Amino acid sequence: MSEGAPDVVPDNLEDAQEKVRALLAERDYLWQRTEQAEAEKRQLQDAKSHAEAEVERLKAMIAQLQRRQYGPRSERLDPDQYRLELDALHEQLRRAEADAAAAEADAEDDAGAPVGGTGKGKTGKKKPARNQGALSDDLPTVEDVIEPEEAETCACCGGALHKIGEDVTEQLEWIPGYLQKRRTRRPSYGCRTCESAPVQAEAPASPVPGGLPTCSTVAQLLTAKYLDSLPLYRQSEMLARQGVHLDRSTLVRWVGTGGRHLELLYDALVADVMGSGKIFGDETPMPTLEPGRGKTKKAYFWTYARDDRPWGGPDPPAVVYCYADGRGQDHPARHLKDFRGILQVDGYSAYGSVAKKRRATGEIVLAECWAHIRRPIYDIYASGNAPLAEAALRWISDLYAIEDEIRGCDPETRKAVRQEKSKPLLEDFDAWLEVRLAELPPKGDLAKAFQRIRASWPSLTVFLDDGRVELDSNRVETLIRLVALNRKNALFAGDQAGGHTWAIVQSLAQTCKLNGVEPVAYLTDVLKRITSGEAKTTDLKALLPWNWPGAGVPLR
């Protein structure tokens, strides 16, 4: 045997081939195990990446919650530049409180007897004992004497009339910062020579039949409750400090009656706003007490506002609040049934569904809000190191910088500048988003925010072709914020009727504020016209805040 030959030689070729096959099988097995190990390694790496992404997501969520709870609410990128008008609006925690007595009192009919009467109704049954309100003798008194047209001679025989008695009523008149008692005397005259009926002037109309308040008192209560966010129990305490003790249930009846008087005027305001060519829309929760259960149910204020001041439009600013017991698309469909034009909203799907059904006829064009589309990106940016989120915010900030240049210009100028500057900027932004989306994990928060922008692109770019459209719906957000403040103090509406009254008065009072009209003076005047019957012969549009004689320069 030659040098270097193996010590053991297979007996035959078959044994050698068998050994080779065994070695090849072992090799294949090892390769298979290696591939399995590589696959397991890749799975572990994917799981690790997923876990790291989940950890980062949870960290960002915690940081976002901490910022909302403890941090500043401004959404500015830098304190010195890119300032936006809208601050983040966060819902406040609310506590529910049962007040069934007040809710029931709101529905009761106040048909009490005049001051000094028997306290019995027409049926002769004694009314339930409750505090109807009493006026102190220490209150300053202003006295009116209303003489009949013929107070000297009898219309029947021409004889001289002499005073045979008088009816005296006392009402509470509320002058801001000053309370006084208004006493109205109505002398009655009879004839000595014949038996004709006595002559007496008619009693002036009262906003609350048989009640104490004058129109100015009801107007003050309504304004303080719905515009100044003063709940009725606080107003009751304020009155008590001035010597007038009134139960809150009494004030509830006065407010409810005042709201019912104003309902036709509210309907005229709604019709005027829905006749506009462009409005803003939004909604906010309005907890409502369920009588008998001591709990609240979730209702909503649907808000529609018109504000054409940024482009010098001819229509005066106005806002209407519509109370509804839900947030489904059937509510805006009902509210907007007569509306034709551009509806600018925050992207809530209910508005999209309504617009989609009427898109074929072009009745409603939906414009979405850049401030709302921007907010989730800002939350990611504020939660930590997020260069792509910051870059996207810079694109949007450049868009707002262009809007700052043209604010107050006419629609044609605004459209021309947007076509020249904003349109190329948005085209580049859209291309940038497409590239970034190809790089980002599709289920990440930032990718979802970018996907939402691209999905809403047609509605977000409506402003490019119409100079009347704003970049965002911040103006209606501001009007909703005032409702949220009132809700924080009052907690809930007493019932559905109370929610509707809230919507009526809030709409008229806020529209007064937008048009520079003093709400108490306005509500006092229109209540006098309505209760006296004068409004029946007057076009209600002439009584809307901007047509009222006291209308001034709109408040900014």
Side-chain angles (χ1 to χ4, degrees):
M1 185 176 291
S2 63
E3 186 179 355
D7 296 335
V8 179
V9 178
D11 294 338
N12 51 48
L13 182 60
E14 292 182 356
D15 292 340
Q17 290 176 341
E18 183 66 28
K19 189 172 183 179
V20 169
R21 283 194 294 270
L23 291 173
L24 290 174
E26 185 177 359
R27 183 197 65 180
D28 293 340
Y29 172 74
L30 292 175
W31 280 353
Q32 185 179 4
R33 289 295 307 272
T34 301
E35 291 176 354
Q36 290 177 351
E38 289 292 337
E40 291 177 359
K41 179 182 177 181
R42 287 193 296 270
Q43 289 178 355
L44 291 174
Q45 288 176 339
D46 291 342
K48 179 184 177 183
S49 300
H50 178 74
E52 290 176 347
E54 183 67 11
V55 168
E56 291 300 321
R57 189 183 72 84
L58 293 175
K59 285 183 177 179
M61 185 181 298
I62 293 172
Q64 179 181 339
L65 292 173
Q66 288 176 334
R67 183 179 65 83
R68 289 187 176 183
Q69 184 69 23
Y70 306 111
R73 294 186 176 182
S74 173
E75 292 185 0
R76 293 177 293 178
L77 296 182
D78 188 289
D80 300 323
Q81 59 181 340
Y82 301 111
R83 182 176 183 180
L84 302 181
E85 294 180 357
L86 179 63
D87 292 330
L89 178 64
H90 302 296
E91 293 293 339
Q92 302 291 333
L93 296 178
R94 302 182 301 273
R95 60 185 178 87
E97 173 185 292
D99 194 3
E104 292 173 0
D106 188 29
E108 292 179 0
D109 182 19
D110 183 15
V115 175
T118 62
K120 297 182 180 180
K122 294 181 179 180
T123 60
K125 296 181 180 180
K126 188 175 182 180
K127 298 191 65 176
R130 64 171 178 252
N131 180 9
Q132 296 284 353
L135 302 182
S136 171
D137 293 335
D138 297 332
L139 281 177
T141 301
V142 175
E143 189 170 291
D144 297 326
V145 179
I146 304 177
E147 296 280 359
E149 293 182 2
E150 296 292 333
E152 296 182 357
T153 58
C154 178
C156 296
C157 63
L161 298 178
H162 67 282
K163 185 175 180 179
I164 59 175
E166 65 180 10
D167 290 342
V168 180
T169 58
E170 293 182 346
Q171 296 176 301
L172 178 65
E173 183 167 40
W174 190 330
I175 299 174
Y178 179 76
L179 290 177
Q180 68 180 16
K181 182 166 51 179
R182 177 167 292 279
R183 178 181 295 144
T184 302
R185 296 183 179 275
R186 296 186 298 123
S188 56
Y189 295 88
C191 178
R192 294 183 184 276
T193 58
C194 70
E195 298 180 356
S196 63
V199 178
Q200 187 180 41
E202 292 186 3
S206 174
V208 180
L212 293 176
T214 62
C215 290
S216 63
T217 302
V218 174
Q220 177 63 34
L221 287 172
L222 295 174
T223 303
K225 176 175 172 58
Y226 296 113
L227 193 63
D228 301 327
S229 305
L230 275 176
L232 292 179
Y233 80 90
R234 294 185 187 174
Q235 296 191 57
S236 177
E237 293 172 353
M238 293 166 62
L239 287 169
R241 290 197 298 268
Q242 300 187 59
V244 178
H245 298 277
L246 295 169
D247 285 346
R248 180 171 53 173
S249 59
T250 299
L251 301 185
V252 167
R253 288 195 302 278
W254 293 1
V255 166
T257 303
R260 288 189 289 274
H261 285 314
L262 297 170
E263 188 163 11
L264 289 178
L265 192 58
Y266 165 78
D267 292 340
L269 178 62
V270 172
D272 192 272
V273 170
M274 291 305 169
S276 308
K278 183 185 74 70
I279 61 175
F280 300 96
D282 208 342
E283 74 290 331
T284 188
M286 177 50 61
T288 303
L289 189 68
E290 291 189 276
R293 295 187 59 192
K295 298 180 179 180
T296 59
K297 62 180 180 181
K298 182 174 284 189
Y300 286 86
F301 265 175
W302 294 81
T303 307
Y304 305 96
R306 176 184 65 207
D307 194 345
D308 299 339
R309 290 174 293 179
W311 52 273
D315 293 331
V319 58
V320 293
Y321 301 90
C322 300
Y323 175 84
D325 57 4
R327 200 179 180 219
Q329 61 176 287
D330 55 316
H331 299 295
R334 184 176 66 256
H335 302 152
L336 298 168
K337 60 182 177 63
D338 297 324
F339 175 71
R340 307 287 186 276
I342 297 173
L343 175 65
Q344 188 153 19
V345 295
D346 58 5
Y348 177 44
S349 59
Y351 300 108
S353 299
V354 174
K356 184 178 180 180
K357 293 178 181 178
R358 299 168 63 183
R359 187 178 300 165
T361 58
E363 293 181 355
I364 293 182
V365 176
L366 198 65
E368 288 197 33
C369 169
W370 276 95
H372 282 82
I373 214 78
R374 172 188 185 274
R375 188 163 300 158
I377 303 175
Y378 181 83
D379 289 338
I380 296 171
Y381 159 79
S383 299
N385 184 21
L388 289 182
E390 182 177 0
L393 291 176
R394 296 297 180 190
W395 284 99
I396 300 174
S397 296
D398 290 342
L399 202 60
Y400 271 91
I402 298 172
E403 290 300 305
D404 288 340
E405 298 176 8
I406 59 176
R407 184 166 290 111
C409 298
D410 62 88
E412 292 303 319
T413 300
R414 286 156 63 96
K415 178 182 176 180
V417 174
R418 288 169 174 174
Q419 290 289 324
E420 178 187 355
K421 297 182 178 181
S422 301
K423 187 174 182 179
L425 177 68
L426 285 175
E427 290 173 349
D428 293 342
F429 183 38
D430 186 38
W432 181 86
L433 287 173
E434 185 176 3
V435 174
R436 300 289 84 80
L437 281 171
E439 301 171 349
L440 291 169
K443 294 185 179 181
D445 291 340
L446 188 57
K448 291 179 180 178
F450 287 174
Q451 290 165 3
R452 183 186 172 193
I453 293 178
R454 302 205 73 203
S456 304
W457 198 257
S459 298
L460 287 171
T461 54
V462 169
F463 77 99
L464 293 176
D465 300 315
D466 195 325
R468 300 173 301 164
V469 182
E470 292 297 299
L471 204 58
D472 52 46
S473 57
N474 289 356
R475 295 185 178 274
V476 72
E477 284 271 327
T478 302
L479 295 169
I480 277 191
R481 188 178 301 131
L482 300 172
V483 175
L485 177 62
N486 200 352
R487 181 182 60 212
K488 179 181 178 181
N489 290 334
L491 301 181
F492 50 77
D495 55 14
Q496 288 190 353
H500 185 53
T501 297
W502 193 327
I504 290 173
V505 182
Q506 190 89 41
S507 300
L508 292 169
Q510 291 291 359
T511 301
C512 281
K513 185 177 178 181
L514 289 171
N515 288 275
V517 174
E518 206 290 300
V520 175
Y522 170 78
L523 292 175
T524 300
D525 182 66
V526 297
L527 281 172
K528 287 180 179 178
R529 294 172 185 267
I530 291 170
T531 56
S532 67
E534 178 185 340
K536 293 180 180 179
T537 60
T538 305
D539 182 5
L540 288 177
K541 288 186 177 181
L543 296 181
L544 293 176
W546 55 84
N547 291 326
W548 191 64
V553 180
L555 301 178
R556 300 287 178 178

